Amino acid sequence: MALAHTRIFGQAADISPLPSLLYKAYIETYGCQMNFSDSELVAGILHAEGYGFTPDAEEADLILINTCAIREHAEEKIWQRLKYFQSLKRKRPHLVIGVIGCMAERLKKKLLEEAPVVDIVAGPDSYRHLPHLIRQVESGAKAIHVLLSREETYADIAPLRLSPHRVSAYISIMRGCNNMCSFCIVPFTRGRERSRPWETIVEEARTLSEQGYREITLLGQNVDSYQDKDVRFADLLARVAAAAPHSWIRFATSHPKDMLDEVLETIASYPNLTPYIHLPIQSGSDAVLQRMNRGYTADWYLHRIETIRRYLPQAVVSTDIIVGFCGETEADFEATLSLMRAARFDAVYHFMYSERPGTLAARRYPDDIPPEVKQERLERVIATAQELSLQSNRTQIGTDQPVLLEKPARRNPEDMAGRTFSGRSVVVRKAASLYKPGDILSVHIQEASSATLIGYASDRFSSSA
Ligand code: SAH
Ligand code: SF4
Ligand code: F3S
């Protein structure tokens, strides 16, 4: 799942009319798309309590920081932010500060002990209790709720959509994870896997589509094990595709050991299910995969890739790779590089192994790869990934691709940034004065770098208006 750091702000259009603007909340989000989606749930819960939202931490009455614990570095960033929030609290003593999300769940009351600036600690299954926790703080006590649940899916809570343009939306279809990948903290921070009732997902997709959202991403740590009654992931995709015919449907993350051909078949048979598959491999060495407890071999993985490309010849396949996992030899690492080439990944997210306390790997295997070796391996992964992305993007030159426009391009505001149906990033020249976010265009691709395609609008497919 792609990681991003996002600050989110209530959109005036979404949050009015407000019963009261007395209390203003500021929410800052770190980590994966799931966390981003959770922040929208939290905003929905606060909105129902009468909170307004501000993009400016300095004028907030309540600051919530939705945290990630996936690597040590993710947590270091949060400690830094807490120092800044402490400086705000000196100026505004009534300010309430809450740490929520995965780091809150991992550290529990240790967070309150080590950071006295923190008033509230709430884990991913505790968001319903936030109004109560805030009241507890207002009456002078610290507040903590970190119980994990086997049932909570927040199915009945209306998220407050916080993206600046009404173009893309997330729907969490399940929570938690039952896989025990030995390096991973997620099962400890998000608990047991549970699927949200399919009817509520389909309804939410239908509503988003009717509201004009052009891209809907279904989220779960392991979407292939989605199951509610007799509805499995492929059925869910089909139902969502039919309920939201004007939206492009994406999903993440797929697990190589669980992804069924049925899912690929379903994607191939609906025009709005996008052929973008994020399929984390982690390592190309069977010995390392076994220590990681991933449940597949490199060969099995490559067969899955062949199957994907057979059903979906236009598929964009991305992956996650961890370098420097416990005991990774140079030969293990070279197996990862060769697997990258054999799989012809279109995009790769890469990470240096970071030991997480309490995980199987931390208990069983020493974190024995020196930082400089991890760094050097990471650089080699990056170089190979760029070469593969460039090759992949170059195959698009000269073609016309459907593109969903997202926002003005960063480099030149006359251009617009968007994504192809299969998920490649595109810059559309001179589009800003003619089109708006949410428009779907046919774009003629002229150039390609490893990061993006560049082209011009050759035809308008349809517009969001
Ligand atoms: N559920 C997804 C990914 C969740 S975390 C899956 O099954 O793959 C996103 C990515 O972070 C993982 O795919 C992995 O590559 C990376 N990651 C997880 N734990 C890590 C750790 N301890 N050190 C470094 N990278 C890690
Ligand atoms: Fe972590 Fe593995 Fe679950 Fe992904 S599938 S969240 S890597 S335990
Ligand atoms: Fe996501 Fe980070 Fe938690 S990657 S699930 S926010 S540990």
Side-chain angles (χ1 to χ4, degrees), residues 118-393:
V118 176
D119 301 299
I120 298 173
V121 172
D125 287 344
S126 308
Y127 299 148
R128 260 177 222 279
H129 302 281
L130 275 172
H132 169 73
L133 297 173
I134 295 167
R135 281 194 288 277
Q136 198 174 322
V137 171
E138 283 166 351
S139 68
K142 298 267 173 182
I144 178 164
H145 195 291
V146 286
L147 276 183
L148 288 170
S149 155
R150 283 177 178 258
E151 290 96 36
E152 180 65 277
T153 60
Y154 300 108
D156 57 318
I157 299 218
L160 186 66
R161 303 284 166 190
L162 296 163
S163 66
H165 307 290
R166 287 175 155 245
V167 175
S168 305
Y170 294 130
I171 303 181
S172 291
I173 62 166
M174 57 208 295
R175 302 184 68 84
C177 183
N178 284 356
N179 291 318
M180 276 286 181
C181 302
S182 63
F183 51 81
C184 186
I185 196 73
V186 172
F188 301 89
T189 63
R190 287 186 167 261
R192 303 291 293 171
E193 178 187 290
R194 62 224 102 119
S195 295
R196 178 176 157 184
W198 70 265
E199 301 88 339
T200 68
I201 298 169
V202 169
E203 264 328 293
E204 194 170 333
R206 187 192 316 280
T207 308
L208 287 168
S209 190
E210 284 167 3
Q211 288 172 344
Y213 283 88
R214 305 309 298 266
E215 180 181 66
I216 297 173
T217 305
L218 306 181
L219 297 177
Q221 296 297 348
N222 182 5
V223 290
D224 301 290
S225 64
Y226 176 89
Q227 179 147 24
D228 174 45
K229 285 116 28 200
D230 58 343
V231 175
R232 305 219 44 193
F233 186 56
D235 314 319
L236 180 72
L237 273 179
R239 288 171 199 216
V240 168
H246 305 298
S247 311
W248 290 0
I249 313 297
R250 305 190 190 282
F251 57 89
T253 297
S254 307
H255 197 299
K257 76 175 165 50
D258 298 322
M259 197 187 57
L260 298 175
D261 289 13
E262 226 172 271
V263 168
L264 302 171
E265 233 176 281
T266 308
I267 298 172
S269 53
Y270 283 83
N272 59 332
L273 292 179
T274 60
Y276 169 62
I277 313 277
H278 182 58
L279 196 68
I281 172 76
Q282 314 298 1
S283 166
S285 148
D286 287 345
V288 173
L289 285 170
Q290 193 167 17
R291 283 200 295 281
M292 287 179 162
N293 198 21
R294 286 289 289 181
Y296 54 83
T297 61
D299 255 3
W300 163 276
Y301 183 92
L302 281 175
H303 278 118
R304 297 314 291 146
I305 295 276
E306 275 169 29
T307 312
I308 294 172
R309 303 226 191 255
R310 197 169 63 240
Y311 279 100
L312 306 166
Q314 299 303 320
V316 163
V317 181
S318 64
T319 200
D320 290 347
I321 286 176
I322 297 177
V323 300
F325 184 66
C326 316
E328 183 189 68
T329 62
E330 176 62 23
D332 290 324
F333 174 68
E334 280 168 15
T336 299
L337 293 181
S338 2
L339 184 133
M340 284 173 71
R341 291 185 191 285
R344 290 179 289 121
F345 289 122
D346 302 284
V348 176
Y349 300 90
H350 28 71
F351 310 101
M352 277 193 272
Y353 173 58
S354 164
E355 185 177 270
R356 308 312 291 132
T359 55
L360 218 59
R363 283 179 278 148
R364 255 191 216 163
Y365 314 115
D367 179 10
D368 54 359
I369 308 300
E372 58 282 5
V373 176
K374 287 182 182 171
Q375 181 64 40
E376 185 252 351
R377 289 181 184 169
L378 189 73
E379 282 161 20
R380 286 157 73 194
V381 164
I382 294 173
T384 308
Q386 280 182 344
E387 203 185 296
L388 293 173
S389 297
L390 181 62
Q391 267 172 29
S392 159
N393 276 345

Side-chain angles (χ1 to χ4, degrees), residues 444-464:
H444 187 72
I445 307 300
Q446 290 176 300
E447 293 169 50
S449 70
S450 62
T452 194
L453 306 175
I454 300 174
Y456 60 86
S458 51
D459 184 20
R460 178 190 277 249
F461 258 63
S462 61
S463 100
S464 62

